[in-house]
Structure formats: structure tokens, C-alpha cells
Amino acid sequence: MDFVTFFALAIPLVVIAIMVIAHPSPVYSALFLVLTLFLLAVYFLFLDAHMVAALQIIVYAGAIMVLFLFVIMLLNLQSDTQPTPSRGLGRAAIIGGVILVAELGLLLQRSSSEQAESALPENFGTVEALGSQLFTTYLLPFEITGILLLVAVVGAVVLAKR
Amino acid sequence: MIDFLITFSLTLLMVLMVLNLGGLLLWVERKGSAVLQDRIGANRAAVFGKLPFNLGIVNTLVADPIKLFTKEDFVPQGADKLLHTLAPAIGLVPLLVTFIVIPFGDVLIIGGREITLQAANLNIGILYVLAMVSLSVYGVVLGGWASNNRWALLGGIRGSAQMISYEIPLGLALIGVVLAFGSLDLQEITRAQGALIGGWIPAWGIVYQPVAFLIFLAAGIAESKRIPFDLPEAESELISGYFTEYSGSKQAMFMLGDFVEAIIVAGLITTLFFGGWQVPFLLRDGFHFPWGGTLALPSLLVTLLQVGAFTLKVLFFCWLQIMIRWTLPRFRYDQLISLGWKILLPLALANVMLTALIILLFE
Amino acid sequence: MAEADILSHIETALSGTIQEQHSSHGNDTIVIDRDDLPTVLSQLKEHPDFAFNLLLDITGVDFFGKEPRFEVVYHLYSLTHNHRLRVKVRLTEESAQLPSAASVWKSADWLEREVWDMFGIKFTDHPDLRRILMYEEFRGHPLRKDYPVNKRQPLVEERDPITNPWHKG
Amino acid sequence: MAEAAAPLLGAQKDVAEHDPTSEIMELQMGPSHPATHGTIKLNLTLDGEKILNCDVEIGYLHRGFEKMCEQRTWNHCIPYTDRLNYASPLINNVAFAITAEQLLDVEVPERCQYIRVIMSEISRITDHLTCLGMAATEAGAISVGFYLMEARETLYDLVTAVTGARLTVSYARVGGVMHDLPHDFAERVRTAFTDMRRILSDCDKLLSKNRIFIDRMSGVGAISPEDAISYGLTGPLLRATGVPYDVRKAQPYSGYDRFEFDIPTGTQGDNYDRFSVRFEEIRQSMRIIEQALNGIPSGPIRIDDPQITLPEKKQVYGNIEGLMNHFKLVIEGVKIPPGEAFLSVEGANGELGFYLVSDGSGRPYRVRVRPPCFFGMAALGEMLRGCLISDIITTFGMVNMIGGECDR
Amino acid sequence: MDQYVPVLIALILGGVVALVMTFASTLLGVKTHSAVKDEPFECGNPPSGSAWGRFSVKFYLAAILFIVFDVEVVFLYPWAVVFRQLGLFGFMAMLLFVLVLVVGLVYEVKKGGLEST
Amino acid sequence: MVPISYHLILSGILFTIGVTGVLLRRNIIIIFMAIELMLNAVNLSFVALARHFGNMDGQIIVFFVMSVAAAEVAVGLAIILLVFRGRETVNADELNLMRW
């Protein structure tokens, strides 16, 4: 991944991510988030994570965000008419943000002397590689995920049916 | 550079093919329904007057866009103007880019250069299709919501509930095929279907996965929102559903989107279940009949035959969808949901597990 | 049951309430007083010998210039006995109102609304007496004989469903 | 349409309208909606897809039929009756004429009775075909709808051959009918019926045995026999609940007692029963027509009384009495003695009654129609409660409201 | 990365098509406005307020099932591809996973989560 | 080649944006979306590190993060629906009661 591609993706990503939290209307926020996720998927492609990129779109952009949009529509959440948060909180957020970015800048300076990337295995990022590892090394988490999803269905149905 | 040009022209070809097929389907739908219903059908757009042959196709392809593009563009009061404008594009673009992964031929050999007749050879081909189809649901949701119209909202919500409900059986039906062929790459799957079972029967997906084919057909028609699954736009119920407040070229985009989806479904059925560009017994150097005869053919002719076979198969499945559309009555919302979740989904899951079991036992 | 039978039978069963009875052109008719209407109608429906379970029609006739001016006509039919009966109530213009039959037959609901709409005859305990064929702002009652056949109505404004929603009468 | 502003009402609705947390949606369906053919408006209260309440509003097609008739002579009312149930105009014609004849205490010749029966039954079939065809179309089975329209068209050709018009037939007259049947009528009916039977069996396979269609229709819009009677439902709507009431059998008119036919009934009172009852009635009507064509006697087609029916053209041009009779009948109308009569016939949608009051002048003093679908519409709100939005279309289709008749 | 170049090209082409079609009517069509015409269509009646109100949550329940089974489907894809290597072991692992989720489906169906009435 | 730190910094920035959103916005749905943004920022660093070390583990973790996110969203949005169905507001500040 070269610098041109990186910045061509990173700058829109950051701008759109800011729009997610800055836009007053939840519908637009959700759509900006979809866009962020889509760009991230493209980003994953450049990081040789093809399967994850597809997943990002299918699961995140295609399913989770549809659910968000559904709830926004069902609850009629229009514009954010709530009062702005207390000043202290706002200030804390901004200060915290600045510190974090500054820290990252520091990190960037330090890391200029990092070691080179490891060589990529033959089938890195392919479905086969992912699948064979997922269903051997990570079999237990995989089964637990199933149970987690079951719990989610039960929980959501119980809650929404009330 | 020449590689890029080849890629570019292949992609352009696929996009144009989808667009033109969309227009063609519109005409086939009109004339086809007319044939089915003992009517004459669309016959007004006649450039050359009363010729014995009416250039219906040409006229429809030209006259319809002209008509739709010169209609007034309408945004209702109180609607979200930006989203109302964007929604058709959001719905259409993911569909337009889906078709490029479908291989329409084996290889074309020109000047010693082997060109794979597939615009985008992705190793996650099937997942790409699923991803793009799952994005197109936004067009429906946003179109319905942004119009600020109750009918549109109902249509949008019905539409999104329907599309997400049938995405699961659609995906599961494909898994059966993936299991059978062990690949996500559409070109590879197509090539694998060139084999013969017992020397006679082409190893098409339909032979391995007949249940998956039926599930895929049903779910695919549901995704393209056509009768019997046209609830989101059911004219007699919701006026036009999510595109009630659309006019002119924006409405044309929604209509085109449905046709493109039908073409994608036809293309995928062809590729996954009916051998794609495979012609039975036709290999790269000509026909090898199971009864022993061979017929050598030049490679260009073979390629042409394959592309022709692919096109014919796609057209046939488009036509099949149109015939279904004009034959069956529409589902009701609760029937639709229970068909999707209580019948197709368990069936598809059972099909996947059964396929896996059979593979386990016999290989 | 022969036609004459019904009338005489009704005469005995509902004695004292029937002001007038006759049979013409195959239709048996009784005329009753407004105050007796609810009892007579429910008797006619409930009594097993009559069992007029189908209320075919309610309509009005305007004898403009005569007194009493209005007649409200009920046409009843019995599915069990296959006989018909016409019940009439005469009303003067000043007191053009009578009790509703909506609690006896559900079909009376809309029929009475139509009589109110067309003749301006009020049904006092009707659950939802509003115009049915004409619009709310319509002035007059068109089937009265003194309503000119070519009368024009003033243009009404479009109803704003926000300030004056449809279910807020 | 000024009517569009009409409001409505029911004060008893308890839905809190401006409560922003309410999940109840209000929706106005009609008058300009693809499925509300006949122009009605349904004010729906919805919870998602489910109908909590449905307030039916009619009157959009009100043209003052009763008031208009009071301005015209008796025979002039006949064309107005065409416009009542425009899917089966001949039945309306006949009903009006029979009631007027009742007031006159006359009986039409036997041939005329047969002709009236034949034409009424043809009209009944066209009405049922229209109803079923539209129901199929609205349920999405557009091709089946076209097939049924094709069948209807063959019958309209017959109607045209007899009356000269497809819909605005104005065929019956007080004391007879306008024309005799064309000489090859029986032949043409038989050809048409061959086509009809083929189309009907096609539609039977395509629609009435279609799983999706059956699931959509059965159990939907059901009403109990008690409620149906209380709502005054008649015709296919009542018969679908299992009550075998048919005016043609119960109180035969125009010689219906001469013919053999069955009264199809349903059991559930739901849309599928209504559909099947109508489908079967088409076959029964064809049976009646075939019997009538076999047994039709020759003879006059109207009463030979110059006070009631127009004299022969030869008489009008040839002698002064004929001319005077013609003149008086046309200008003053049939002089019907003072009196009143209520008579009902079996219309395509149910019992179609005319209540006529005469004051002895040449014009009716009061004309009242008992429109069958008015009662169906009154019950529609109750039938729909608890159903889904899609059920409105099938139920409304099966109630078969005809605006011209319901709103008059 | 090269394999995705056609996708980019197609996106651009599709974008152009969408752009042209979105604005064709705006540019070519006539424009007339009137108060009544600009109203959202509600069958010829003045609209009964904004359509943006709360809506029945029944639709949400189908969406929950969707999200769960969508995750299942994406887990199934890598499994299907490598199934021949995994053998019986992989089959049992997935069978367990699928059964767990089917329990969820059965639960929701039993709870009436998919009923629309 | 872009060094790994660039990816990590981008991930950090996205995460910060998410945190800021949680702190600044009062609309609970938007807060929820900001959380999703944070999750994605973490996913990004996982994928980048997987690439950096040539090891598939990072990508597989992303798989699980997504599944957990799906479960979380299903339940979380159900809670939001339940809490706000009977109320006019979606303001998180007004949600200070542990009952509804």
C-alpha cells in the first residue's frame, strides 16, 4: 500500500468519520457511517484482507447499519434537538482528543525506526487460509460466537416483545 | 497499458450489457406479457409507421428513455431533498457493478494473448455479489423514507424487511454450490462444470444442487422485488411503494434496478447451476461427444459458441422470471415472511448440511 | 305463511301499536307511531313467528305540502319464513326525528345515516349520525321536495388534516 | 373534488393522534388509489401492517340518481338505472321495469320474461367476471384477470348484438323489452359459452387452485352468518357464509321458477368462499341461460296496451290513434296509478330492490334503490379489522363495490 | 490488488450512469409547481401530516434474525471452501453452530416474532 | 510502503473521533454509532497488524469482533427501542433512571 493510496483513503475516512458524529440528523449520521465502513472495506483490501473486506460490507454495511436505519425510522429520530452537553464534558472531550492525537504524533516520530514487515505467506488473507485457521485454532471461540448470537436473538426478542 | 485497456473494455462491455439487457427486458416484459394475455402489447412507438415489421425493440429502447428522461422531476414538499435525489443512485450503482464478476466465456485468444472473458476475476466472487446485493437495500429504504410519504414509507419498510429476509436463503443456497465446487471464484466454478458425470451428464450445478437452485430462484426473485414478491411496490396495495414519489429518470433508475437485479439473478443461476458459458461436450479444441465422435473447431468459434451459450442461458432465465411474474398472484406480507424464514431458511440450512454430509461420505 | 296471515298475526301480537295496515301490490304494510317503533321493530325481529332478521331497507318519502310531511319506510324480510313486511312511520316537519334501529340491525347504521343525509330526518340515539353520501359542508337535504333540483352549493375549502383531522368530526 | 375534503369522523376513536410516541399510523386509502375502483376512501388506523380500524367513506360517485328519476317519466328512468351497477346494467333495467309493472298490476308476455331472464343472467355473468377478474388482477395475477376480461368480452358481444350497447344498454321497458333477440342468438350464445367454459377451466387451474391465492383469500375478511344477516348482506356475500338465500328461489320473479339451478354456498364466509360462490354462480347462470334458450316460446315481447308500451311504428305513421298514443306516452309517460311497491330481484351482488311511489302523474314520485353493495361496504370496516393491508384489496374486491350503485 | 481494478472502473461507469440518470429529468423535464401538486401523494387527500412518525416495531424482529443469520452465512463461506480439508471434524463443528442458531430461529418463531398480526 | 504506524495512527484518530462522539452527542443512537466507529478503528489496527506480522490471527479476531458487534447491536438497539418507545426523547442524559 503506497502513500498515495493511503492518504486517498485515510483523509476521506477521517472527514467522513467526523461527519458521523457531527451531523445533527441520525439518518445522515448512519449513512456517513455506512460510507466510513465502505471505505474501511476498501482499506482492508489494500491490507490484503479480502475476506474481511467482504465481511465488512456484508455484515457491517449490509446488516448492522440496516438495523440502525430501521431503528431510526421506527423511532422517528429526526434531528438532534437535545441541548448541548454540559461544558465540562465537551471540554474534556476536546482536550482528550487533542492529547490522543498528540500522543499518536509522538508515536509516529518514535516509530520511524521500526522493523521491516514480515514476508507474507503464500495465501495470506484468502478464504482458504482464514477458514482452515478459523475452524481449527479458533474453533472454541467460533462455537461460543454461535451461543452468543443465540443469546442475542433471545435477548432481543424478549426485549422487543415487551 | 494494453492490459488496462482490455480490462477497461471488458468492464465497459459488462456494464453496457447489463444496461441494454435492462432495456431489452422492459420490451420483453411488455411483449411477453402481451403474448401471454392475448393482447398486442406495446406498439405505439413506431418510427417507420405501419411497416409489416414493427421495430418494437429499437423503438422501446429509444422511446422509453426519451419519454422518461423528459418527464418532470418531482420532489414532494417536506421530503429530504438530498436523500430523495441520492436514493435511486444508491440503489442502482451497487447492482450495476455486480455483473462484472460473472464470467461470460472461457478465454479469447487474439494475437497470442489469452484474455479471460470475465471483467473482474475476484477470488471471493460470490461474496462480492452478496456484498453488493446487500448494499442495494439502502436505495429502497432511503427512497421510502426520504419521500415523507406514508405509502412510500410502508413500501420502504416492507421492501427492506423482504430484501434482508431473503438475503439469508440466497446466501445459504450459494453455500451449497460453494461446498460442491469448493471455490468462491465464479470462473473456477464454471470451469469445474465442464466435467462430465459418468461420461454423459454435464456436471452442472443443477445436478449437484437442485434444491439450492429452487431456493436461489425464489430468493432471487424476491430480491429483485418482482411478482410474486413485489410487495414493496405492489401497485394495487401501496400505489408504487417506495417509489411513489419518484418521477422521470429517477423512477426509471428504480425500475432499471429491478431489471438489473433480475439479470444478475439470471446470470448467477446460469453460472452456478447451468454451467455458465459451458456448452455440453465442448472443450477448448472442439466437441468431444461421449459416444466417441469429435468435432474440432477453431478456438475463436469455440469462444463464440460459449459466449452465445451464456447469453442464451441468461436470456432464458430472464424470460423465465418474466413468465413467473405474469403468472402468479402476489404474496401477502405474512406469507412472505413465513416463506422466507420458516420454509426457505430451514430448507437451505438442511441442504447445506446434507450436501456436506454427502461430500463427507462419498469423497 | 299466507300474506293475510302475517298482517292479522301481527295485529294480534302487536295490538294497540298499529295505526293502519293494508296490503297492496303484494306488499304488506303496517303504519305505526314513532314512539312504538323500537318495541315493534325488536318484536318483529325477535318474535319467532315473524323473525324478520333481514332489514332490507330504510328510506324516506317526502310528501311536501301534506301533513304529516315525511314517511320513513322500513322494509323487512324474514329468511326463515320467507315473508316481507313494510313498516311505516309518519313524521311531521317540526319533529322530524325518530329512534334509531341500529341496535336491532347493524345495517340500520348506514341506512339511517343516508336518510338523515337525504331528508334531514334525525335518528335520536344513532351512534354516529353524520352525512354519508354528501360532504360535511353540504347545505340542505337533497331529496326533500323543496330542495331545487338544480341548486348550486357553495365551494368549500380544502380540509387541512392537521388542524382539522379526518377523525375529529 | 370537494368531497375530498369530507371528513369524518367517528368521535369514538380513541387513538391519540398527536402523541409522538404512538406507533399507530393513520393512512387515507382512496379515493385516488389504484385498488379503490369505484372511488371510495378508507381511513385506516394501522399498527405496522395490521389494521386496527377502518372507517369507510362513500359518496364520491353520488350523482343524485333518485332525485333525477323524480324529474323524468318512468321510461326515462331506465337509462339512469344502467348507470347504477354498470357491470350488470340489464339486471337493473329489469328490476326497475318489473317493479313498475307491479304498480301497474300487469304481467308481461312469456317470451319477454324469458328474454329478461336470459339477459339478466348474461349480466350476472359479466358482473361476476368483472369482479373475479379485478380481484385476480389486484392480487397480482394480471394474466388471469385478462383471461376473465376476454371471457367477459365475448358476453358483451352478445349484449351488443341484442341491445346495441355494451354497458349503457337501456334494454327493458315498462311493459316489455326494447327489441327482440337476433335470429341467430341461441347459436351465438352456444359458441360464446364454449369459449367461456374453456377460459373458466383455465382460470380454475391458474387461480382458484393456486396455493398463494388460496392462502391469501381463505380466512380473510370472514364474517359470521348472523353478522352478515344483521348487516343486511345478500347475494354472494351472504351465500358465502352458508345461508342459501337467493331471491330467484325465495320469491321468484319473471318466471325464474321455471328453471333448474343450484344455489352455491360457502361455509366460512371468507374471501375464498365468496370467490368460489361467484365462480360457481357463473356456471349456474350458464345453465339457466341454456335452459331458457331451449324453452323460449315465440310471441310478443311487450304488453299490447297503448297506455303502457309504444305502438308499432306502422301504427304511429299510419293512423291518428297510434300517433296520439305515441305522443302521449313519450311526452307524459306511462300513467301509473297512485300507490307504492317494493320489489327486489337477485342482482349480481345481492338483493337489488326498487321502492317506487307513484302519485298518478307520468313521473315517479319517489324512486328508491336498495343497492346491494351499500350493505357490503357498511360491513367492510368490520370485516377488515385485524387484517393486513394486503387483505383490504382482496376483501374490497370480493365485496365488489360498484360506485355507481353504492353512491347512486 | 489488480483484480479489483475492474470494480473501480465499474464503479466509475456506474456512477456516471447514475449521475446522468439522476439529473436527466431535472435538466430535460419541465418544471411546474403548485401547492397541491407538491404535496406528498396520499390518494388525493391533503396529507395527514408528516410521514415521519413512530412505526410499529414488529418489523424490527425480522431484522434481528437477519443480522444473526447473516453472521452465520459469512461463517459458512470459509467453512464451505475448506470443508474438504476439515472433514468430519469440521462437519460436526458447523452442525453444532447451525443447531445453536436454529434454536434461536425456533425461539423467535415460537415467540411470535415473525407474526405480523 | 506505508509503515505500520500510519495505519495505527489512522486507527487511533478514528477511535478518538468515536470517543469524542460518545462524549459530545446526547442522541443515544448517534452514541451507539460512535461506539461502532470505535470498534471499527480497532478492527483496522487488527487487520493492519495482521498484515504487518504476516499472521492471519488478526483477521480472524476481526471476524469475532464483527460477530460480537452484531450481537451487541441486536440487543442494544432492542434496549433502545424498549426504552424509547414510550418516550418522546432519545436523550441519554434523561436516562438516569434504572427503571422505565
Side-chain angles (χ1 to χ4, degrees), chain D residues 253-304:
Chain D
Y253 56 92
S254 197
Y256 263 107
D257 37 3
R258 295 188 193 102
F259 307 110
E260 248 182 55
F261 60 97
D262 302 326
I263 305 175
T265 55
T267 49
Q268 310 295 318
D270 58 5
N271 283 339
Y272 191 70
D273 278 349
R274 289 168 196 152
F275 182 88
S276 321
V277 164
R278 285 204 167 89
F279 218 97
E280 186 52 37
E281 268 182 34
I282 294 177
R283 300 207 169 97
Q284 296 300 330
S285 290
M286 288 159 76
R287 211 171 132 196
I288 297 176
I289 294 171
E290 276 161 354
Q291 289 174 44
L293 283 174
N294 289 335
I296 188 166
S298 53
I301 54 159
R302 57 188 93 133
I303 296 166
D304 187 21

Side-chain angles (χ1 to χ4, degrees), chain C residues 25 27 56-57 59-60 62 82 84 88 106-107 114 130 132 135 142 144-145 147 159 166-167, chain D residues 3 5 8-9 58 66-67 70 102 227 230 250-251 340 342 344 351 365-366 368 370 375 408:
Chain C
H25 306 295
N27 298 134
L56 283 178
D57 198 16
T59 191
D62 177 13
N82 188 22
R84 289 170 192 269
K88 279 186 180 182
K106 290 181 180 170
S107 55
E114 188 180 335
R130 54 192 156 103
I132 184 165
Y135 47 96
R144 289 189 174 194
K145 290 281 176 184
Y147 185 93
R159 182 171 290 259
W166 51 261
H167 56 78
Chain D
E3 188 78 349
L8 329 343
L9 9 328
I58 61 168
E66 293 170 12
K67 190 87 175 171
E70 289 166 17
Q102 181 105 338
D227 271 353
S230 183
Q251 311 214 320
E340 55 187 336
F342 178 88
S344 45
E351 183 163 348
Y365 187 76
R366 172 89 177 95
R368 156 75 189 171
R370 181 209 188 265
F375 298 82
R408 284 150 289 145

Side-chain angles (χ1 to χ4, degrees), chain D residues 139-217:
Chain D
I142 301 168
S143 296
V144 182
F146 272 101
Y147 296 159
L148 291 169
M149 290 301 120
E150 192 189 331
R152 189 183 73 161
E153 226 39 52
T154 64
L155 292 177
Y156 272 155
D157 288 346
L158 295 178
V159 173
T160 315
V162 178
T163 70
R166 288 168 82 245
L167 259 81
T168 54
V169 290
S170 308
Y171 183 57
R173 290 291 182 275
V174 178
V177 292
M178 194 52 208
H179 315 281
D180 207 339
L181 300 175
H183 59 92
D184 59 346
F185 189 68
E187 194 70 15
R188 294 167 80 155
V189 170
R190 270 172 209 121
T191 333
F193 278 10
T194 323
D195 284 353
M196 284 262 308
R197 291 210 160 91
R198 178 178 50 79
I199 294 170
L200 284 181
S201 81
D202 279 356
C203 295
D204 212 24
K205 286 175 217 153
L206 269 170
L207 198 63
S208 6
K209 295 193 173 64
N210 183 309
R211 187 79 224 164
I212 303 174
F213 189 72
I214 294 173
D215 282 357
R216 275 198 71 172
M217 300 294 270

Side-chain angles (χ1 to χ4, degrees), chain B residues 223-303:
Chain B
E223 285 290 309
S224 61
K225 303 178 285 294
R226 298 163 64 76
I227 284 179
F229 298 99
D230 75 331
L231 290 95
E233 53 201 58
E235 185 181 276
S236 58
E237 294 167 25
L238 300 185
I239 306 177
S240 277
Y242 57 92
F243 57 80
T244 300
E245 294 291 1
Y246 281 90
S247 64
S249 53
K250 285 198 246 167
Q251 194 220 357
M253 285 168 84
F254 276 127
M255 285 163 56
L256 183 63
D258 288 358
F259 281 117
V260 170
E261 228 156 4
I263 298 165
I264 293 170
V265 169
L268 283 176
I269 288 178
T270 306
T271 308
L272 298 174
F273 298 104
F274 289 89
W277 41 260
Q278 296 279 7
V279 182
F281 319 128
L282 179 64
L283 301 182
R284 276 200 196 182
D285 55 351
F287 282 103
H288 292 258
F289 298 110
W291 51 90
T294 49
L295 177 64
L297 293 174
S299 90
L300 193 66
L301 188 60
V302 170
T303 309

